[in-house]
Amino acid sequence: MGHSKDDRTRYSISLLSSNDGNVGLPNGHGYDTFMTVSQAFQVGSLGVQRVGAFAYIGRAPTYYSTQGGGATLVDGFGQKSFYRVGLLGQWYFKKLDFSTMWTHASDSAFLATATPANADLPVGARAPVWDAA
């Protein structure tokens, strides 16, 4: 993470493990990535405005193995992709400020239906895609 000398440009990138760094959690054998960047600019007497973009992309397991046939989850398999991308803005008008955000997202049909990747998808299953604001 960091910023420009005048703090107008900011950026960060994070790599996230699927076991959250904790001992004893099942290993999903994957890493997710979160990235963000923003740029501020002066708009006359209104002040500094900021716009930015972000992305969260990754893969998640669709099923887990168990240890010795028991109930303890050990390893995650059948990873399928997902993503979230978006734009954001921070707008200042004298003493008022507004935050705006738009997000576009998609998940694998396997993740959306909680179907293991080593099984057939339910009839008519599709990968969901949605927008939010």
Side-chain angles (χ1 to χ4, degrees):
M1 69 189 303
H3 57 83
S4 63
K5 193 172 188 176
D6 64 359
D7 197 35
R8 296 286 174 109
T9 304
R10 299 176 182 173
Y11 61 90
S12 69
I13 185 166
S14 300
L15 187 62
L16 307 149
S17 72
S18 57
N19 65 5
D20 197 27
N22 291 313
V23 176
L25 288 180
N27 186 352
H29 297 287
Y31 290 93
D32 302 339
T33 304
F34 180 73
M35 300 169 281
T36 184
V37 63
S38 68
Q39 178 67 47
F41 53 93
Q42 182 73 32
V43 176
S45 65
L46 295 177
V48 177
Q49 315 298 309
R50 183 172 292 279
V51 295
F54 63 89
Y56 183 65
I57 55 176
R59 295 173 57 83
T62 58
Y63 64 94
Y64 289 89
S65 68
T66 58
Q67 188 173 33
T72 304
L73 300 176
V74 179
D75 280 319
F77 297 99
Q79 289 77 12
K80 294 296 179 181
S81 299
F82 65 89
Y83 69 86
R84 316 285 186 259
V85 295
L87 302 171
L88 55 95
Q90 293 175 307
W91 314 102
Y92 300 95
F93 302 99
K94 307 288 182 192
K95 292 185 177 187
L96 296 174
D97 66 74
F98 298 92
S99 293
T100 56
M101 186 173 80
W102 169 78
T103 304
H104 178 76
S106 178
D107 286 349
S108 161
F110 287 93
L111 293 172
T113 59
T115 304
N118 60 356
D120 293 330
L121 282 169
V123 174
R126 300 182 324 168
V129 177
W130 67 95
D131 293 293

